[in-house]
Amino acid sequence: MSVVPLHTQHPRRFEENRFVYPVLSRRSEGISVGVNLNPDKVCNFDCIYCQVDRTTQSETRFVGVDQLLAELEDTLALAASGDLLQHEKFRNTPTEFRRLNDIAFSGDGEPTTYKNFDEIIAACADVKRRLGLDAVKMVLITNASMFHRPHVVRGLEILDQNNGEIWAKLEAGTEEYFKLVDRTPIPFRKILENITAAAKVRPLVIQALFMRVSGEPPSAQELEAFCDRLNDIQAASGKLKLVQVYTVARKPTENYVTPLADAEVDAIVELVKRRTGIPAKAYYGAAQP
Ligand code: SF4
């Protein structure tokens, strides 16, 4: 019997997926296989720049664990073999991005609110191990609001054991701006405590999205306060390995939110480096790749 190439076995499989979706990711600098633990689109933040379309209800409201793991295995195999790049959506991937970088837990809400977070992380790590993909990262894209919960602490430890990386959202220096942008009843202090506690255990990546709100970029004082908060975390022995400074690249929830210019993003990167000593990287508003 002849061997059928993987992409002809599952030519469009990932497009029928409900929980797993491969994307070309600027911040991953390669292919990132997304895992959506919040198909119901519910989130405990309501960020003014959120790019999840909540004007329509999703058909899928609950995570089907067996299906999610099957989709993950198929999609990782497609991406690792390079066959994914034959698909029309990925055919024009630039050479330097033609690599599988990570499995990313993000999706349509806050992944750590998933009730069996530790179990699903462990099961996904098993799939990765079975496929021999030890070099592939497991990235948690999170607002850090649930880090104090025991099953989330366990989930973070499982990530640590499986080439994990935590990208924690922090994009304000004051409670007032935090409330304006992230619109949650959770206090800013709680988020800072959670990030600090997690960063004491392993180095974290900070993801910081800045934007214009009704035409106004973040004030100089707010950006100084943002750097102060990063320094507070470091002063409490929290380790921060990178600050990703980015801006709106797709349609945001609120139409009064618009992107910063490239030079404004660059200026924030320079400020963060100078004030905190943490490496920082710019991602501009242009949508590609
Ligand atoms: S935390 Fe993420 S998913 Fe939730 S509202 Fe904010 S940007 Fe959207």
Side-chain angles (χ1 to χ4, degrees), residues 43 45-47 49-50 52 54 108-110 143 169:
C43 190
F45 277 29
D46 181 21
C47 303
Y49 62 80
C50 184
V52 176
R54 295 195 172 88
D108 293 338
E110 170 51 37
N143 63 25
K169 178 198 293 294

Side-chain angles (χ1 to χ4, degrees), residues 249-268:
R250 292 185 293 274
K251 189 177 178 304
T253 296
E254 302 296 353
N255 59 14
Y256 56 79
V257 170
T258 48
L260 295 181
D262 296 358
E264 292 171 308
V265 176
D266 286 338
I268 299 173

Side-chain angles (χ1 to χ4, degrees), residues 168-174 188 192 195-196 199 204-208 210 222-245 268-280:
K169 178 198 293 294
L170 183 67
E171 48 216 6
T174 63
F188 188 39
L192 293 168
I195 291 177
T196 305
L204 297 198
V205 173
I206 296 292
Q207 38 162 356
F210 291 105
E222 189 62 38
L223 293 171
E224 290 289 338
F226 170 69
C227 292
D228 290 343
R229 299 296 79 76
L230 296 174
N231 283 332
D232 293 344
I233 295 165
Q234 297 193 109
S237 306
K239 296 177 280 297
L240 301 175
K241 63 177 172 184
L242 177 67
V243 179
Q244 298 172 340
V245 180
I268 299 173
V269 165
E270 289 312 312
L271 178 73
V272 168
K273 286 186 190 164
R274 179 164 50 76
R275 285 282 325 279
T276 71
I278 306 167

